[in-house]
Amino acid sequence: MNKETRDLLFDQAKQWILEAGATIRRKINDPITIQTKSNANDLVTTMDKETEQFFVGKIKSKYPSHYLFSEEGFGDKLSSLEGTVWIIDPIDGTMNFVHQKRHFAISVGIYQDGIGEIGFIYDVMADILYSAKKGEGAMKNGAKLPPLKTDLTLQESIVGMNHYWLCKNNLVKETAMQELVKQVRGTRTYGSAALEFAYVAEGIIDCYLAMKLSPWDIAAGKIIVHEVGGITTNISGNEFTMLDSDAVLTCHPAIHESILSEFLIKGKK
Ligand code: 2AM
Ligand code: CA
């Protein structure tokens, strides 16, 4: 994608994201219908669906040749990332949206033939927009985020993860997960993968680990983290395919290798 196309697409996507966010804020106290999906804690609301439909309508009318890959199924069924693909989570952190009415995000990643070009993570209630353009760095509300510093040890790191993975998961021994928690400075759970990626990029946490995420949870975050020098892989150290769900590790570059090898690969079930 050339710079002019990328810049125009960035400006248009930003405008739609801010508009969608303003609508959610205006309706935040309206009654919502909540349904469950894969399990009793996997929630979806009318707001998730309406917001996704807003993006589908806008994108399909302005960019009919673009594809849309999104959580609630109003987009396209894709088996490859060929072409221009918008990967969208209309509300990432739906449990936070339902229970807390804050700490959720609109996540939009735009990929060209599988390459991340543009990423947006919008913390709707705080009105904070993280963004990135390929090769041009990442921003928080228009101010450039500095590159992640290289002098960091595991013992000084804060790791984002869901506590549930310490109790039960199918991939890494719980004792290995607990050992990781013991060795780092602290852990945090924010309940929105997209925001946790944004916080890694901002340097306010140093790593985020999740045992199961979908492409729309990480599409924008991977681009934003990459632009400040962070590393995103699955827990075997391979690239996340962006077509299927997988376990994900996104990190400050100084600690990625040690978390991967000492805890995740060594601790594999
Ligand atoms: P969601 O709110 O869009 O569903 C919570 O720890 C994070 O994991 C959120 O980003 C949430 O996204 C995501 N998540 C929740 N259930 C999931 C599932 N069954 N598969 C993949 N990601 C999930
Ligand atoms: Ca969602």
Side-chain angles (χ1 to χ4, degrees):
M1 185 180 287
N2 66 42
K3 179 166 166 47
E4 192 190 352
T5 307
R6 193 189 301 121
D7 287 348
L8 286 170
L9 210 48
F10 181 96
D11 292 344
Q12 180 60 86
K14 178 178 169 183
Q15 189 193 322
W16 288 337
I17 290 162
L18 294 177
E19 189 181 336
T23 303
I24 296 173
R25 279 195 301 273
R26 198 173 63 246
K27 295 184 172 180
I28 194 72
N29 291 314
D30 289 1
I32 45 169
T33 307
I34 305 161
Q35 294 170 304
T36 58
K37 296 193 287 185
S38 63
N39 63 64
N41 302 321
D42 187 9
L43 308 178
V44 61
T45 73
T46 39
M47 189 64 85
D48 298 68
K49 294 178 184 176
E50 283 169 20
T51 304
E52 184 166 310
Q53 282 166 322
F54 166 84
F55 282 107
V56 174
K58 294 288 190 193
I59 293 164
K60 289 292 174 188
S61 65
K62 178 145 186 186
Y63 304 112
S65 66
H66 290 190
Y67 299 100
L68 202 142
F69 192 32
S70 48
E71 178 161 23
E72 311 308 342
F74 300 108
D76 301 298
K77 304 269 169 284
L78 296 187
S79 55
S80 97
L81 290 182
E82 258 170 62
T84 307
V85 183
W86 297 58
I87 308 180
I88 297 183
D89 192 342
I91 297 184
D92 183 72
T94 300
M95 196 186 291
N96 287 351
F97 170 73
V98 168
H99 286 262
Q100 306 183 327
K101 299 188 191 297
R102 74 190 78 165
H103 295 149
F104 58 88
I106 297 173
S107 174
V108 176
I110 305 178
Y111 284 67
Q112 178 70 43
D113 297 323
I115 295 170
E117 298 280 350
I118 293 167
F120 286 104
I121 295 170
Y122 186 39
D123 181 335
V124 172
M125 301 313 287
D127 188 22
I128 296 173
L129 182 65
Y130 296 89
S131 65
K133 291 180 195 172
K134 182 164 78 83
E136 295 187 31
M139 318 268 271
K140 177 188 176 188
N141 276 350
K144 195 125 186 182
L145 289 174
L148 298 174
K149 291 195 299 292
T150 50
D151 55 337
L152 178 75
T153 64
L154 199 57
Q155 286 67 33
E156 299 164 321
S157 300
I158 299 184
V159 173
M161 67 166 75
N162 187 331
H163 303 132
Y164 183 73
W165 308 126
L166 300 173
C167 309
K168 188 171 183 291
N169 79 83
N170 297 325
L171 302 172
V172 178
K173 290 187 191 99
E174 286 75 14
T175 49
M177 297 292 290
Q178 290 158 13
E179 193 51 39
L180 172 63
V181 171
K182 282 188 218 161
Q183 291 207 19
V184 297
R185 178 165 284 169
T187 56
R188 295 291 184 272
T189 297
Y190 294 99
S192 156
L195 286 178
E196 297 189 75
F197 268 76
Y199 298 161
V200 170
E202 193 179 352
I204 63 171
I205 62 174
D206 305 297
C207 172
Y208 171 59
L209 169 63
M211 294 304 173
K212 186 178 181 222
L213 289 177
S214 299
W216 37 83
D217 298 320
I218 82 152
K222 187 182 169 197
I223 299 168
I224 295 171
V225 165
H226 177 76
E227 284 300 322
V228 293
I231 302 172
T232 303
T233 63
N234 69 12
I235 59 167
S236 304
N238 301 319
E239 202 157 323
F240 191 96
T241 69
M242 219 48 88
L243 283 168
D244 293 306
S245 62
D246 200 350
V248 180
L249 174 69
T250 187
C251 278
H252 184 296
I255 58 169
H256 180 267
E257 180 54 37
S258 59
I259 292 183
L260 189 63
S261 60
E262 289 169 38
F263 301 94
L264 303 178
I265 292 177
K266 230 182 242 175
K268 216 171 207 158
K269 280 186 177 166

